[in-house]
Amino acid sequence: MMADDYTIPQGWDRYTDEEHRTWDTLYERQVKLLPGKAEQSFIDGLKALDLGRGGIPNFETMSDELESLTGWRVVAVPGLVPDEVFFDHLANRRFPAGNFIRRADQLDYLQEPDVFHDVFGHVPMLTNPVFADYMQAYGKGGLRSLDSGCLKNLAALYWYTVEFGLIQTDDGLRIYGAGIVSSASESVFSLKDPSPHRLHFDLERVMRTDYRIDDFQQTYFVIDSYEDLFHATVDTDFGPIYERLQGVDEKYPVDTILNEEEVIHRGTQDYA
Ligand code: HBI
Ligand code: FE
């Protein structure tokens, strides 16, 4: 039975051996690729939550550990949930994760968020206290945005940070976005390929940018720190931004570079 908040039991006992093996296959493939690519909090989070112990993680055990670190828990949902339900979970430090896993013949790409994308991709970053606070702030901002008609702008922010974000570190550019760390091909493409633009993150600019959900990104936005991201989001009064954006239906196309902006890498856009 599904509750009002769309949560369901994970049903951990019902996973088949084949489903656990699918997790293991995906896990091993990503863990080999990610050193030197994923930002350290992601790698630390995998270890802290012991996500490589074998098989699909049990949400209860994992949540007990995660809660002791940053107060977040993971709850099971059947798939995409309505925006207001999604935001309400985040605002209360619950991450809704799909409980199903992709079929063995869909290892590389799946449109819906399954347990591998949601748990491997998103949950390790929730062990970083600043990022964990950002996610909650995003959820609260999302609830507020529902009345202002600016949901699309907020969705773009999520897309270019939580899902496809890059971060500048002392060791170079690294990945923190869940959509990238959970993808074998995009974890290489996003950092190494000459095709996509890599631009410095700017809140309002990002919120006005279109995005594509069906292929590699044509532009990635780079933050300097999770603190910057948190403060850009929390210290900014979204009211005036929303007001400016009200009249603006047009989005910046996905390959735009503005005159005044800080370019980290001007992409060739060959891939697109
Ligand atoms: N539901 N389960 C789930 N996962 C998401 O990432 C998600 C969602 N519902 C809405 C949603 N994302 C987005 O529309 C928001 O980020 C704007
Ligand atoms: Fe996601």
Side-chain angles (χ1 to χ4, degrees):
M1 248 294 278
M2 191 160 74
D4 288 346
D5 63 1
Y6 283 71
T7 59
I8 54 172
Q10 182 189 8
W12 192 84
D13 292 331
R14 290 196 296 273
Y15 293 125
T16 64
D17 291 346
E18 189 190 0
E19 288 175 320
H20 285 302
R21 278 200 301 274
T22 296
W23 171 281
D24 292 341
T25 304
L26 290 164
Y27 184 93
E28 278 152 33
R29 184 166 75 167
Q30 287 313 105
V31 153
K32 273 197 209 113
L33 273 170
L34 291 175
K37 296 194 188 71
E39 194 274 319
Q40 195 59 36
S41 351
F42 178 85
I43 309 266
D44 292 346
L46 282 182
K47 194 176 252 176
L49 299 172
D50 199 15
L51 296 188
R53 76 180 73 185
I56 299 169
N58 184 311
F59 289 5
E60 281 301 316
T61 323
M62 178 173 64
S63 294
D64 289 344
E65 190 59 43
L66 180 61
E67 189 170 14
S68 77
L69 295 170
T70 57
W72 276 75
R73 295 192 70 84
V74 177
V75 293
V77 291
L80 282 175
V81 300
D83 294 321
E84 70 274 18
V85 174
F86 184 66
F87 294 143
D88 191 63
H89 281 302
L90 299 184
N92 289 287
R93 291 174 100 84
R94 291 185 302 266
F95 188 78
N99 71 336
F100 68 96
I101 193 154
R102 64 197 74 184
R103 297 198 316 258
D105 62 349
Q106 301 172 309
L107 290 193
D108 290 317
Y109 185 73
L110 187 74
Q111 192 122 346
E112 316 90 80
D114 74 339
V115 65
F116 186 74
H117 168 81
D118 277 339
V119 171
F120 182 92
H122 286 282
V123 176
M125 287 307 300
L126 293 172
T127 64
N128 176 303
V130 180
F131 190 84
D133 286 350
Y134 169 68
M135 284 288 276
Q136 180 179 29
Y138 178 84
K140 290 182 178 173
L143 289 173
R144 285 193 301 268
S145 81
L146 294 173
D147 305 321
S148 64
C150 286
L151 177 67
K152 266 295 280 183
N153 304 106
L154 216 75
L157 174 63
Y158 193 83
W159 194 258
Y160 283 115
T161 61
V162 178
E163 295 291 354
F164 292 98
L166 299 180
I167 182 166
Q168 194 66 259
T169 75
D170 292 342
D171 303 320
L173 216 52
R174 293 289 184 271
I175 305 162
Y176 71 92
I180 313 179
V181 290
S182 61
S183 160
S185 47
E186 197 155 2
S187 53
V188 178
F189 178 88
S190 64
L191 282 184
K192 314 279 179 191
D193 201 278
S195 182
H197 300 320
R198 299 182 185 91
L199 309 177
H200 194 265
F201 175 84
D202 176 88
L203 182 71
E204 187 165 343
R205 193 286 193 223
V206 165
M207 288 175 83
R208 284 186 59 173
T209 307
D210 219 345
Y211 56 88
R212 51 185 313 170
I213 60 166
D214 57 342
D215 206 338
F216 295 147
Q217 301 305 304
Q218 283 171 246
T219 297
Y220 297 91
F221 289 93
V222 180
I223 59 171
D224 287 329
S225 68
Y226 301 120
E227 281 82 2
D228 281 2
L229 178 60
F230 176 76
H231 288 298
T233 310
V234 170
D235 301 344
T236 306
D237 181 1
F238 281 37
I241 299 188
Y242 287 161
E243 221 141 273
R244 281 197 291 279
L245 294 178
Q246 283 300 342
V248 196
D249 271 343
E250 271 149 84
K251 297 274 190 294
Y252 296 127
V254 292
D255 60 352
T256 304
I257 294 187
L258 302 174
N259 285 330
E260 65 274 19
E261 82 187 313
E262 190 183 326
V263 178
I264 292 155
H265 168 81
R266 180 178 292 267
T268 60
Q269 296 293 324
D270 282 347
Y271 177 81

